[in-house]
């Protein structure tokens, strides 16, 4: 039985979910609403520990929480770039961008493109777009 087939019954610790819990929730997002999660939950889960899981979810067009995962990738990219990669390893970031460019659909290639643009022009950072979901909602290239 895959994670997608099993029901999700909640997080043991929503402030620090496991990759398996996050994946299970992403395929059953109506089981626990985002409104019931801790404030700024998107910021809490957008770190190194869960970024590979979030990336996999964002790469899956059939994932019901794909847009949330993509939103977290935008947060991760902006956080890494704006801290000059003190917050996140530059090597991991570059691998994700490369993989999105090679294997991703248009949404993921747009994220990779925007991340590369921000990397070369960090002054283009706008909190609303990168951390509040604006670029996900608009799916536009910088």
């Amino acid at each position: 039985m895959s994670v997608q087939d099993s029901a999700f019954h909640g997080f043991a610790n929503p402030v620090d979910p496991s990759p398996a819990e996050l994946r299970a929730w992403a395929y059953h997002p109506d089981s626990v609403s985002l409104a019931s999660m801790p404030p700024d939950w998107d910021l809490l889960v957008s770190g190194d520990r869960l970024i590979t899981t979030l990336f996999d979810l964002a790469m899956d067009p059939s994932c019901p929480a794909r847009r949330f995962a993509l939103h977290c990738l935008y947060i991760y990219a902006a956080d890494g770039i704006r801290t000059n990669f003190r917050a996140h390893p530059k090597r991991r970031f570059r691998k994700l961008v490369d993989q999105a460019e090679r294997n991703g659909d248009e949404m993921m290639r747009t994220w990779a493109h925007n991340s590369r643009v921000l990397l070369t022009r960090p002054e283009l950072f706008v909190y609303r777009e990168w951390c509040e979901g604006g670029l996900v909602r608009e799916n536009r290239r910088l």
Side-chain angles (χ1 to χ4, degrees):
M1 177 182 280
S2 73
V3 171
Q4 290 89 331
D5 298 330
S6 62
F8 178 67
H9 301 291
F11 296 100
N13 179 1
V15 174
D16 187 24
S18 72
E21 287 176 328
L22 186 62
R23 185 173 283 109
W25 168 81
Y27 287 97
H28 301 281
D30 294 335
S31 60
V32 178
S33 76
L34 284 175
S36 70
M37 299 310 290
D40 298 323
W41 190 61
D42 53 347
L43 301 175
L44 292 172
V45 300
S46 297
D48 291 318
R49 189 165 97 72
L50 296 172
I51 199 60
T52 303
T53 302
L54 290 162
F55 183 82
D56 291 345
L57 296 170
M59 288 286 283
D60 181 358
S62 69
C63 178
R66 181 183 194 205
R67 288 170 54 92
F68 174 80
L70 182 59
H71 164 63
C72 291
L73 290 179
Y74 272 102
I75 292 170
Y76 183 84
D79 195 29
I81 293 166
R82 290 181 42 78
T83 63
N84 199 26
F85 295 98
R86 287 185 303 278
H88 309 296
K90 189 173 192 176
R91 183 176 173 187
R92 177 178 292 151
F93 166 75
R94 285 193 183 273
K95 282 183 178 183
L96 295 173
V97 169
D98 289 345
Q99 188 175 348
E101 288 172 336
R102 269 192 325 275
N103 304 321
D105 63 6
E106 186 58 29
M107 283 177 65
M108 291 302 292
R109 287 191 305 270
T110 297
W111 170 77
H113 168 83
N114 289 344
S115 295
R116 287 197 187 274
V117 168
L118 189 65
L119 187 59
T120 59
R121 299 192 50 212
E123 72 276 6
L124 294 178
F125 174 79
V126 175
Y127 188 86
R128 185 195 74 72
E129 292 182 339
W130 287 84
C131 299
E132 292 181 347
L135 288 170
V136 175
R137 283 188 298 279
E138 298 166 13
N139 193 35
R140 70 177 175 82
R141 288 179 172 243
L142 295 177

